[in-house]
């Protein structure tokens, strides 16, 4: 929904040393590359900027974006009311904002005179200058868009990286050319500021970046559904073949009376088309209901791999295009698969058919071979589907078994505060009072604060160097978290060595730091980190001694290893917004109201947002994987049922057309077990022909996707063995009823009928 979307790109800072593939960029670097590049038509910066509106004097958190004035020009967005930002809005504190369509409707009732109205918030009020269209799409949902002060960001440090970058390429410029151009500029910047040496710039097409996290799950679902669909089509083809044989005499008579082959094929295809229309209509009805159910299992946003960015996941809806495609592809497939039986049926010689009426011997053999060939392919596809399903299930189960590093079950989380106007000491005083107030709530076992709640793609880096080692150390940034003394106990983050923070670790005491195991292994692989000193570049911490080592927390997702992290006491320089963690003696969400009341007892104007249990957050981090697991397992189960029906139908057909043969065999002394053996052998033969085909293709497919799945070993035999066992079992189980029916044939009666 953007103008010329193929020219839109995301621009990332990249550092292999720090471990960031897609990171933010500093304000000065953005301004330099924006002005000096030769490959971009226009560039813009943005960052998430939560705010707090005051409605009836009550704080209401709101999502916002801080953007450079060219932001909407990059996307090609036009307002439905008022105007968007001009160049002059990016200089100084202009206190203007553009409202989302949702905020305009909910807060202002869709008032067409909203332009010029003031929005009251904590801090200076904002004048609304425009309203965005309802369909305005972007990487995350925001109610207010506010211009950034370019003069202010120009004065920031080059190491203060805060801004995501969007760009629109010039016509005929490739992504590779743009990336090369920006990296030349960054190397020029690094000559004047050595802190930029570990950094480069990565340019990605915006669309590719937005869908990368869901690309693999969608491809897995596409392959899974396609295979199940083909199995269903194979069953349809078999049914039409059987029906064609049953109507051989009728069609032969029609042909004898002058109906040409084309007329017969058209008749059979018309009947198949009616089948397709009926089945497609039922499928659409079921699919619409299924979509609404599936939506409830999806998260609202997903991460961008290799980044702290998140993007909004659009709501799933059955658009007319999708519905027409689904209906059309099902109808087309039935007609195509119905064409083979129609051609097979119509090519029979009328005289032969009428002469052999009542036996259908030659037709039976011909049709039987065609049906068996289809079943072999059907079982091969079922093998592929079951093998890849087994791989996906094993990958997901291994992911769900990963230890997140904290015990999320009894913990309530929320973000509190909007303390930008306050200094560090006032912020620390407020948070200390909140901790005391919440700790007094009945049912609270422990309470702590941390800069961020894990598993929400947040990161925060601080420069450091190691005392006694040469400067500048190439790894000059590491993630850090400012926490309270009881944070580790609240989330049950294991202490491996040393001690935790205490109330004595305050502004008057020596600066101390706790590191995680990943940081200990990276910086002190052969030494004991306890007692070592690191110099934190944030001046209020400075030279700090390591007093403890804690376990790793997989804060970005269970499938990503924990990065090096250092923890420091929050008192010296707390963030304006922090995560509050409450360990409950019972159900965490049952304490939500009481905890919020305790927070507001300190300051009723401070916002509280994102109130959730930590367990729900951890669960949501694997929502896509668990949904794919459910869907793949559901489709694979459906495929097994379809394959069983297909084999059953063929074997039933086979027995009907070999009744005379079996009767003669039994009349000459064949026993019931001999007949059973003959039927099961025929079914097993089809399974053993289809199995190698399916396993070979499954091995190739697994090789392709294994690098993208968590914990998958390409040589793992279990999925192949399980798939083979299921396919053979399906074939034999489907033969059971036809075999019993064959073994009960009365030779005298059957021969008399013949």
């Amino acid at each position: 929904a953007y103008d010329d979307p193929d020219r839109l790109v995301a621009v990332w800072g990249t550092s292999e040393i720090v471990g960031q593939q897609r990171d933010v960029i500093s304000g000065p670097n953005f301004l330099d590359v924006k002005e000096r590049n030769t490959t971009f038509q226009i560039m813009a910066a943005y960052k998430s900027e939560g705010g707090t509106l005051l409605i009836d004097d009550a704080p209401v958190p709101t999502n916002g974006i801080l953007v450079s004035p060219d932001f909407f020009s990059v996307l090609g967005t036009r307002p439905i009311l008022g105007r968007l930002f001009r160049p002059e809005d990016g200089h100084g504190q202009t206190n203007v904002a553009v409202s989302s369509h949702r905020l305009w409707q909910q807060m202002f009732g869709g008032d067409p005179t909203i332009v010029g109205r003031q929005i009251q918030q904590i801090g200076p009020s904002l004048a609304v200058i425009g309203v965005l269209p309802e369909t305005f799409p972007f990487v995350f949902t925001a109610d207010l868009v506010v211009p950034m002060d370019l003069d202010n960001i120009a004065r920031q440090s080059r190491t203060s990286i805060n801004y995501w970058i969007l760009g629109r390429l010039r016509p005929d410029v490739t992504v590779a050319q743009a990336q090369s151009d920006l990296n030349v500029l960054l190397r020029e910047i690094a000559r004047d500021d050595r802190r930029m040496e570990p950094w480069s710039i990565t340019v990605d097409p915006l669309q590719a970046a937005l869908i990368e996290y869901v690309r693999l799950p969608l491809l897995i679902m596409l392959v899974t559904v396609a295979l199940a669909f083909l199995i269903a089509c194979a069953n349809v083809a078999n049914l039409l073949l059987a029906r064609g044989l049953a109507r051989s005499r009728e069609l032969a008579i029609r042909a004898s009376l002058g109906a040409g082959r084309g007329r017969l094929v058209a008749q059979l295809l018309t009947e198949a088309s009616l089948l397709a229309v009926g089945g497609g209509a039922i499928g659409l009805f079921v699919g619409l209901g299924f979509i609404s159910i599936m939506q409830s299992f999806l998260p609202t946003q997903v991460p961008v791999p290799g980044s702290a960015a998140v993007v909004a996941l659009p709501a799933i809806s059955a658009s007319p295009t999708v519905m027409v495609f689904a209906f059309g592809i099902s109808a087309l497939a039935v007609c195509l698969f119905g064409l083979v039986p129609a051609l097979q049926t119509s090519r029979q010689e009328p005289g032969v058919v009428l002469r052999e009426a009542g036996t259908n011997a030659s037709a039976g053999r011909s049709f039987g071979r065609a049906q068996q060939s289809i079943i072999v392919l059907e079982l091969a596809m079922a093998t592929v589907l079951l093998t890849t399903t087994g791989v996906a299930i094993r990958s997901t189960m291994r992911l769900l078994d990963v230890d997140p590093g904290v015990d999320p079950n009894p913990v309530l989380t929320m973000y509190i505060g909007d303390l930008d106007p306050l200094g560090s000491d006032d912020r620390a005083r407020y948070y200390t009072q909140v901790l005391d107030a919440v700790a007094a709530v009945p049912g609270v076992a422990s309470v702590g604060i941390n800069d961020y709640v894990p598993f929400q793609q947040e990161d925060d880096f601080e420069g450091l160097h190691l005392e006694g080692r040469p400067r500048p150390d190439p790894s000059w940034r590491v993630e850090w978290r400012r926490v309270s003394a009881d944070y580790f106990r609240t989330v049950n983050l294991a202490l491996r060595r040393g001690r935790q923070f205490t109330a004595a670790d305050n502004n008057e005491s020596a600066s101390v730091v706790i590191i995680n195991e990943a940081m200990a292994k990276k910086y002190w692989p052969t030494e004991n980190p306890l007692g070592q000193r690191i110099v934190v570049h944030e001046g209020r911490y400075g030279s700090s001694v390591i007093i403890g080592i804690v376990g790793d927390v997989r804060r970005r997702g269970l499938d990503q290893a924990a990065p090096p992290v250092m923890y420091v006491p929050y008192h010296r320089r707390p963030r304006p917004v922090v995560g509050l963690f409450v360990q409950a003696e019972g159900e965490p969400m049952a304490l939500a109201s009481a905890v919020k009341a305790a927070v507001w007892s300190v300051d009723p104007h401070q916002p509280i947002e994102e109130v959730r249990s930590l367990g729900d957050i951890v669960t949501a981090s694997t929502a896509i994987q668990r949904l794919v697991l459910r869907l793949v397992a559901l489709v694979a189960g459906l495929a097994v049922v379809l394959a069983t029906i297909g084999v059953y139908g063929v074997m039933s057909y086979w027995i009907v057309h070999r009744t005379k043969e079996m009767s003669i065999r039994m009349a000459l002394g064949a026993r019931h077990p001999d007949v059973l053996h003959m039927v099961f052998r025929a079914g097993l033969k089809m399974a053993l022909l289809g199995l190698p085909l399916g396993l070979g293709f499954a091995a190739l497919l697994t090789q392709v996707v294994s690098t993208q799945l968590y914990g998958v070993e390409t040589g793992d035999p279990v999925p192949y063995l399980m798939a083979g066992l299921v396919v053979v079992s399906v074939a034999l189980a489907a033969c059971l009823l036809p075999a019993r029916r064959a073994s009960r044939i009365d030779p005298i009666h059957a021969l008399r009928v013949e």
Side-chain angles (χ1 to χ4, degrees):
Y2 304 119
D3 288 348
D4 299 320
D6 292 342
R7 291 165 53 200
L8 286 176
V9 296
V11 179
W12 317 93
T14 299
S15 173
E16 295 291 343
I17 293 177
V18 177
Q20 290 290 87
Q21 299 299 315
R22 294 181 168 122
D23 208 349
V24 284
I25 290 176
S26 71
N29 285 347
F30 159 67
L31 294 176
D32 280 345
V33 298
K34 177 179 183 295
E35 296 300 325
R36 295 160 56 184
N37 81 83
T38 60
T39 50
F40 284 81
Q41 178 178 318
I42 191 171
M43 295 180 76
Y46 68 94
K47 70 173 290 193
S48 175
E49 189 80 354
T52 306
L53 304 183
L54 294 176
I55 301 177
D56 297 330
D57 207 34
V60 178
T62 185
N63 297 319
I65 315 179
L66 189 67
V67 304
S68 61
D70 290 330
F71 175 77
F72 293 113
S73 298
V74 171
L75 299 176
T77 303
R78 299 163 187 83
I80 59 172
L81 287 177
R83 67 173 178 88
L84 300 178
F85 299 132
R86 299 169 180 160
E88 58 267 24
D89 293 320
H91 299 280
Q93 287 293 108
T94 53
N95 295 334
V96 296
V98 172
S99 171
S100 71
H101 187 276
R102 188 181 75 88
L103 185 69
W104 175 50
Q105 291 291 324
Q106 292 185 356
M107 185 173 175
F108 297 97
D111 184 356
T113 65
I114 185 178
V115 175
R117 295 268 297 273
Q118 295 290 318
I119 295 180
Q120 301 300 318
Q121 62 168 359
I122 293 180
S125 61
L126 299 172
V128 177
I129 61 171
V131 177
L132 294 170
E134 184 176 7
T135 57
F136 172 68
F138 195 53
V139 296
F140 49 80
T141 304
D143 288 323
L144 285 176
V145 186
V146 181
M148 63 178 61
D149 184 354
L150 298 182
D151 299 327
N152 178 53
I153 72 169
R155 295 189 292 267
Q156 295 174 359
S157 168
R158 290 193 185 275
T159 63
S160 179
I161 59 173
N162 294 298
Y163 305 102
W164 307 105
I165 309 300
L166 289 175
R168 180 176 290 277
L169 298 177
R170 296 182 185 276
D172 302 322
V173 171
T174 66
V175 170
Q177 290 171 332
Q179 181 167 304
S180 177
D181 178 31
L182 296 189
N183 276 313
V184 169
L185 295 176
L186 191 62
R187 285 193 292 273
E188 294 175 0
I189 293 171
R191 282 197 289 269
D192 298 325
D193 191 331
R194 291 189 59 196
R195 295 175 298 177
M196 293 294 103
E197 289 179 355
W199 289 87
S200 61
I201 287 179
T202 298
V203 179
D204 290 326
L206 180 62
Q207 179 69 8
L210 296 184
I211 67 171
E212 182 172 342
Y213 186 81
V214 296
R215 180 189 297 274
L216 180 62
L218 289 175
L219 288 176
I220 291 174
M221 284 305 306
L222 176 63
V223 172
T224 302
V225 171
L227 287 172
F229 183 64
L230 289 174
I231 291 172
C233 289
N235 276 356
V236 171
N238 263 328
L239 290 171
L240 293 177
L241 274 172
R243 190 165 186 268
L245 179 59
R247 297 175 64 187
S248 295
R249 180 178 175 84
E250 172 202 337
L251 296 173
I253 293 174
R254 288 178 180 271
S256 300
L257 294 176
R261 188 179 182 189
R263 178 75 176 268
L264 297 177
V265 170
Q267 176 186 341
L268 295 174
L269 282 180
T270 299
E271 295 172 357
S273 299
L274 293 175
L275 181 67
V277 170
I282 295 173
L284 284 179
F285 178 77
V286 175
L288 289 173
F290 189 74
I291 286 172
S292 62
I293 295 173
M294 188 167 60
Q295 183 66 49
S296 63
F297 292 99
L298 288 172
T300 57
Q301 58 187 25
V302 294
V304 176
S307 168
V310 294
V311 296
L313 189 65
I316 293 179
S317 61
S319 70
T321 302
V322 171
M323 296 174 69
V324 169
F325 172 80
F327 184 84
I329 200 70
S330 63
L332 178 63
V334 171
C335 292
L336 288 178
F337 277 83
L339 183 62
V340 174
L343 293 174
Q344 181 83 358
T345 303
S346 64
R347 76 179 183 180
Q348 298 177 85
E349 291 294 333
V352 174
V353 173
L354 293 174
R355 186 167 55 250
E356 296 181 350
T359 63
N360 289 331
S362 62
R365 287 192 295 271
S366 174
F367 278 67
R369 286 192 296 269
Q371 284 188 306
Q372 290 178 34
S373 298
I374 292 174
I375 287 300
V376 168
L377 292 176
E378 183 174 345
L379 291 174
M381 289 185 289
T383 303
V384 175
L385 181 54
L386 289 170
T387 304
T388 52
T389 298
V391 170
I393 289 174
R394 284 173 69 82
S395 171
T396 305
M397 297 306 295
R398 284 171 177 165
L399 180 64
L400 298 178
D401 286 339
V402 170
D403 181 7
V406 296
D407 181 7
N409 295 320
V411 179
L412 175 71
T413 69
M414 62 189 72
Y415 279 102
I416 62 170
D418 186 2
L419 307 180
D420 272 314
L422 302 182
S424 294
D425 293 340
D426 290 334
R427 293 179 187 176
R429 190 175 301 110
Y430 169 75
Y431 292 136
T432 300
Q433 292 172 349
V434 167
L435 290 173
D436 292 340
V438 174
V441 173
V444 171
S446 179
V447 60
I449 62 173
N450 185 339
D451 288 339
Y452 300 105
V453 177
F455 300 96
Q456 295 187 322
Q457 294 303 110
E458 298 284 4
D459 66 4
D460 194 355
F461 288 83
E462 181 54 46
L464 63 84
H465 67 270
L466 311 180
E467 276 194 7
R469 298 192 187 182
R471 293 186 65 187
D473 190 289
S475 302
W476 53 271
R477 294 173 72 232
V478 73
E479 289 207 47
W480 73 329
R481 297 289 183 270
R482 288 154 285 193
V483 302
S484 64
D486 284 337
Y487 168 74
F488 302 110
R489 181 165 68 91
T490 300
V491 298
N492 289 319
L493 179 52
L495 178 69
R496 304 302 188 194
R497 281 185 282 173
R499 69 173 180 87
Q500 297 182 0
F501 296 135
T502 68
D505 297 313
N506 52 40
N507 291 350
E508 283 69 42
S509 64
S511 185
V512 292
V513 62
I514 293 174
I515 63 174
N516 70 344
E517 290 180 297
M519 185 170 177
K521 292 174 183 177
K522 179 174 182 178
Y523 291 97
W524 296 273
T526 60
E527 303 175 63
N528 181 7
L530 296 180
Q532 301 278 359
R533 285 190 172 273
I534 59 178
V535 178
V536 182
H537 293 175
E538 166 51 57
R540 285 203 166 209
Y541 292 92
S543 179
S544 305
V545 63
I546 299 174
I547 62 169
I549 302 173
V550 295
D552 294 332
V553 177
R554 299 199 174 207
R555 57 164 190 77
R556 284 194 187 170
L558 297 179
D559 59 340
Q560 299 187 42
V565 179
M566 62 178 179
Y567 299 89
V568 298
Y570 75 93
H571 307 81
R572 296 176 186 266
R573 192 175 177 84
R575 291 184 69 247
V577 181
V578 300
L580 181 70
F581 297 76
V582 181
Q583 186 183 107
E585 295 175 351
E587 168 60 35
M589 292 304 297
L591 283 177
S593 298
V595 170
K596 289 167 66 176
V599 173
W600 278 325
S601 71
V602 178
D603 185 344
H605 292 121
Q606 291 303 320
I608 299 172
E609 53 187 325
E610 298 184 40
V611 181
R612 302 171 66 188
S613 74
L614 188 55
D616 288 344
I617 293 173
V618 174
T619 300
S621 70
T622 58
I624 294 291
Q625 292 88 341
R626 286 183 290 105
L627 178 62
V628 171
L629 175 64
R630 293 187 180 104
L631 294 178
V632 167
L634 177 64
V635 175
L638 176 62
V640 169
V641 173
L642 291 173
T644 305
I645 294 172
V647 176
Y648 170 80
V650 167
M651 295 312 300
S652 296
Y653 163 88
W654 183 78
I655 289 169
V656 167
H657 290 280
R658 298 190 69 175
T659 299
K660 184 175 182 179
E661 174 192 343
M662 292 180 184
S663 299
I664 294 174
R665 287 176 181 271
M666 295 177 71
L668 294 176
R671 296 172 300 169
H672 291 294
D674 296 327
V675 175
L676 290 173
H677 180 263
M678 183 172 62
V679 175
F680 280 117
R681 184 175 58 192
L684 186 61
K685 179 182 177 181
M686 289 188 291
L688 294 180
L689 287 174
L691 200 57
L693 292 175
L695 290 176
F697 188 77
L700 295 175
L701 188 61
T702 302
Q703 193 75 27
V704 173
V705 303
S706 61
T707 57
Q708 305 297 319
L709 295 174
Y710 180 83
V712 171
E713 302 172 1
T714 54
D716 185 0
V718 174
Y720 299 91
L721 293 174
M722 293 301 295
L725 180 62
V726 170
V727 168
V728 172
S729 300
V730 162
L732 295 178
C735 293
L736 182 60
L737 287 178
R740 291 184 61 189
R741 189 182 308 127
S743 68
R744 294 175 179 175
I745 292 176
D746 183 351
I748 302 300
H749 176 74
L751 291 173
R752 184 182 300 118
V753 172
E754 290 289 340

